[in-house]
């Protein structure tokens, strides 16, 4: 059974994750696991990590060919992965 570790934003803030949760929410680096929750105990996928970096860089759009079979053009992280490839962050 998979344990749901999502917290409401108010619960995340009360757990002492105030600084990180507040910073990432305010800057748009992380938008949470839903509109009202963050999941600070969950593992991040590579798509999430690249998306965090891309958002922190200002969400630049690049035209880069990517050859990852698991990243389709309609994926939430497609633009982020294009940017990461163009900047040598991933291959």
């Amino acid at each position: 059974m998979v344990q749901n570790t999502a917290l409401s934003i108010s619960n995340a803030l009360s757990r002492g994750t105030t600084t990180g949760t507040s910073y990432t929410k305010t800057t748009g680096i992380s938008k949470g696991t839903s509109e009202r929750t963050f999941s600070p105990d969950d593992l991040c996928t590579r798509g999430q990590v690249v998306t965090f970096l891309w958002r922190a860089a200002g969400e630049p759009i690049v035209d880069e060919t990517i050859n990852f079979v698991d990243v389709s053009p309609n994926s939430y992280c497609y633009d982020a992965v294009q940017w990461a490839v163009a900047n040598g962050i991933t291959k």
Side-chain angles (χ1 to χ4, degrees), residues 29 47-60 80 83-84 89:
I29 292 171
Q48 289 169 323
V49 171
V50 168
T51 301
F52 297 155
L53 294 172
W54 174 68
R55 288 177 182 160
E59 300 184 26
W83 169 81
I89 295 168

Side-chain angles (χ1 to χ4, degrees), residues 3 5 8 14-15 31 35-36 40 45 47 57 65 75 88:
Q3 180 181 0
T5 58
S8 71
S14 70
R15 277 191 51 202
K31 297 177 180 176
E35 188 175 311
R36 296 181 179 205
T45 66
T65 302
S75 172

Side-chain angles (χ1 to χ4, degrees), residues 6 12 15 17 20 24 27 29-30 45-46 55-57 61 65 73 76 83 85-86 91:
R15 277 191 51 202
T17 56
T24 60
T27 60
I29 292 171
S30 176
T45 66
R46 67 186 175 128
R55 288 177 182 160
I61 301 300
T65 302
Y76 77 93
W83 169 81
V85 169
K91 297 180 182 183

Side-chain angles (χ1 to χ4, degrees), residues 59-77:
E59 300 184 26
I61 301 300
V62 298
D63 186 21
E64 184 73 27
T65 302
I66 60 172
N67 295 313
F68 296 112
V69 296
D70 60 337
V71 182
S72 68
N74 62 347
S75 172
Y76 77 93
C77 65

